[in-house]
Amino acid sequence: MGGDDFHKGVKAAARTLDGSGLKILIVHTRWNSEIVDPLVRGARQALARLGVQEQNIVVRDVPGAYELPGAAQRLIRQSQQQSTNLVGAVVDDLMTAAGELSGSVTGTAPRDPAASVKSGPFDAAICIGVLIKGSTMHFEYIADATSQGIMRVGLDTGVPTVFGVLTCLTDDQAMERAGIGRGADPGHNHGEDWGAAAVEMALLAL
Ligand SMILES: Nc1c(NC[C@H](O)[C@H](O)[C@H](O)CO)[nH]c(=O)[nH]c1=O
Ligand SMILES: CC(=O)[C@@H](O)COP(=O)(O)O
């Protein structure tokens, strides 16, 4: 790990009060899984290299690229709501404690912080899929909808959402961009870039 990566990794590992580190969401498709799966592995390897802890990576799958934005938005919002609930719970505890100190409240057991601090909001998300052109305009419509949709998720939720969708004209183009090309040069796994981008964007907001 380079010096720069080291510093990113240290920050990634020390991101929260409970030291749990950055929390990353990966949503990937089942379509073209023989190419998507290596991309997901590449992203996870990059996240690990940069200090993101395994237990803080949440992975979910959807049918195809068109489902990526909706799933990402739903899961991000859910994590943010859990976080809001958690803040509310902590405020309740503080009010209870204050009441006990002032003698106005007795006998209320304080919430166990360890029991409630389970999963904060995601710090970044990565949407991974592979679109391969067929013989109709279907490819163009899905590619446009998916890219616009993923952009909107990041902007609307405030959680950096990496566009990890290959839009290829041939199988070989996609395989080479997953590092599993059939030629002499297997190519470069773009999933690694997406993992690094997720950490960088997550740290930007800290
Ligand atoms: N042709 C590809 C698809 N098509 C399926 C759509 O993404 C979507 O799941 C369906 O239209 C139902 O809403 N998906 C890919 O990810 N890759 C393709 O090449
Ligand atoms: C990206 C697609 O939806 C594409 O694979 C569908 O193929 P076709 O255009 O031949 O129906």
Side-chain angles (χ1 to χ4, degrees):
M1 176 188 289
D4 191 35
D5 280 352
F6 175 76
H7 290 299
K8 284 181 189 171
V10 167
K11 285 182 74 172
R15 176 241 180 232
T16 65
L17 287 178
D18 63 1
S20 66
L22 293 181
K23 301 179 193 305
I24 306 293
L25 169 66
I26 296 177
V27 186
H28 70 83
T29 68
R30 296 191 293 274
W31 256 85
N32 295 319
S33 58
E34 69 282 357
I35 302 174
V36 167
D37 291 352
L39 290 167
V40 173
R41 283 197 294 274
R44 296 184 76 155
Q45 286 162 3
L47 292 173
R49 188 184 78 245
L50 292 169
V52 177
Q53 300 169 55
E54 178 64 27
Q55 66 266 28
N56 289 332
I57 302 172
V58 174
V59 182
R60 294 287 184 274
D61 59 87
V62 295
Y66 192 79
E67 282 73 41
L68 287 170
Q73 184 183 59
R74 187 170 178 187
L75 291 163
I76 289 170
R77 288 284 192 222
Q78 196 176 59
S79 76
Q80 291 170 328
Q81 182 55 42
Q82 283 170 351
S83 175
T84 304
N85 292 343
L86 174 61
V87 168
V90 170
V91 168
D92 287 348
D93 289 345
L94 289 172
M95 297 298 285
T96 301
E100 288 174 340
L101 282 174
S102 66
S104 62
V105 174
T106 56
T108 307
R111 183 184 310 281
D112 169 13
S116 56
V117 182
K118 287 300 179 196
S119 59
F122 290 113
D123 295 288
I126 310 171
C127 292
I128 297 179
V130 172
L131 284 165
I132 298 174
K133 171 75 177 166
S135 54
T136 71
M137 288 291 291
H138 199 231
F139 168 88
E140 284 78 0
Y141 285 100
I142 294 184
D144 182 55
T146 300
S147 58
Q148 296 296 330
I150 291 172
M151 169 72 78
R152 262 199 51 202
V153 170
L155 296 175
D156 292 353
T157 64
V159 173
T161 303
V162 174
F163 179 70
V165 179
L166 297 181
T167 52
C168 299
L169 301 179
T170 65
D171 292 358
D172 282 322
Q173 281 184 354
M175 294 172 78
E176 287 157 14
R177 286 155 182 78
I180 56 171
R182 294 182 280 207
D185 177 1
H188 168 68
N189 188 328
H190 284 43
E192 296 169 9
D193 305 331
W194 302 334
V199 171
E200 179 173 348
M201 294 309 292
L203 294 175
L204 200 67
L206 295 185

